[in-house]
Amino acid sequence: MTLVTMKQTDFDTLSDERLGWACVERMLAGIRGKDAAVKAQAITSLNQSQQALCMFRVFYDHAKDSASMYYSWIAYLLQTPGYWSGVTGGMRYFGDDSMLQLLEDTRQVIEERSSKLNVPLEDASFKDLEQDHELLQAVDYLYQRFQDIAPDSLKRISMFIRSNHEDFVLIVEE
């Protein structure tokens, strides 16, 4: 992926969330709706910093809106080859131990439920939360933790981008 072109004032003033999004928006828009091979090729064409950011955004942007989306998306990441390791690897890359621990705790809840009910991960959906009160309580708690941790993750990642802008951004004259 080529670097994103940005004016210095934009780079300096974008919020933590917007800066990370601006660095991967074009690439993610380009692979939306494409098959897995195209997505994998696009991600492997990125440098290590861009890959970590991209995988975080794949997770964060899908999971942030509700507990059911959080649950459904983590279940999807777990069953899609390369996605879970990509997201957790991204969290390790950015040194985000809190988010990494939350992801592992969520994985454990989802896999234990799947094993207990003898249901494949592919069958996990937001409807599980409507039918399983115990699961709903666990996911609500995990999602609340996600909402508490995510701002720190966004800040950590934006600080990394600002300190390593050459991995993400080509600054242009005003």
Side-chain angles (χ1 to χ4, degrees):
M1 176 175 153
T2 59
L3 300 179
V4 174
T5 303
M6 194 178 297
K7 294 178 184 173
Q8 184 72 53
T9 54
D10 292 335
F11 182 76
D12 292 340
T13 59
L14 283 173
S15 70
D16 295 336
E17 184 171 9
R18 288 294 306 150
L19 179 61
W21 176 245
C23 291
V24 295
E25 178 179 17
R26 188 175 70 228
M27 195 284 291
L28 290 176
I31 63 172
R32 185 173 289 125
K34 304 285 193 225
D35 68 29
V38 170
K39 290 177 181 180
Q41 181 183 13
I43 290 169
T44 58
S45 73
L46 304 175
N47 66 42
Q48 189 175 10
S49 298
Q50 291 168 331
Q51 286 178 10
L53 175 60
C54 180
M55 293 310 297
F56 170 76
R57 294 308 298 218
V58 164
F59 157 63
Y60 172 78
D61 291 326
H62 287 90
K64 68 181 179 177
D65 292 328
S66 69
S68 62
M69 288 300 296
Y70 176 82
Y71 169 77
S72 299
W73 194 253
I74 297 226
Y76 175 76
L77 294 173
L78 286 167
Q79 63 182 304
T80 306
Y83 279 31
W84 182 255
S85 61
V87 172
T88 56
M91 295 298 86
R92 280 188 200 89
Y93 184 80
F94 291 122
D96 194 343
D97 295 334
S98 296
M99 185 63 78
L100 187 59
Q101 184 61 56
L102 173 62
L103 288 167
E104 289 300 327
D105 293 348
T106 306
R107 178 192 60 76
Q108 185 175 0
V109 165
I110 293 171
E111 288 181 350
E112 283 177 2
R113 179 184 186 274
S114 179
S115 176
K116 181 174 106 179
L117 297 178
N118 198 25
V119 176
L121 279 176
E122 296 83 32
D123 291 348
S125 80
F126 65 91
K127 291 180 182 178
D128 297 343
L129 302 176
E130 297 169 3
Q131 300 165 353
D132 185 335
H133 184 69
E134 185 178 322
L135 177 65
L136 175 62
Q137 286 183 314
V139 171
D140 279 346
Y141 170 73
L142 292 164
Y143 180 67
Q144 183 58 54
R145 281 179 54 199
F146 170 74
Q147 289 181 310
D148 293 342
I149 293 169
D152 292 334
S153 298
L154 292 165
K155 180 167 219 40
R156 172 184 295 274
I157 292 168
S158 75
M159 287 173 53
F160 182 92
I161 294 168
R162 291 181 202 285
S163 298
N164 300 278
H165 77 273
E166 65 280 354
D167 286 351
F168 303 95
V169 178
L170 175 64
I171 305 291
V172 295
E173 297 294 320
E174 298 285 327

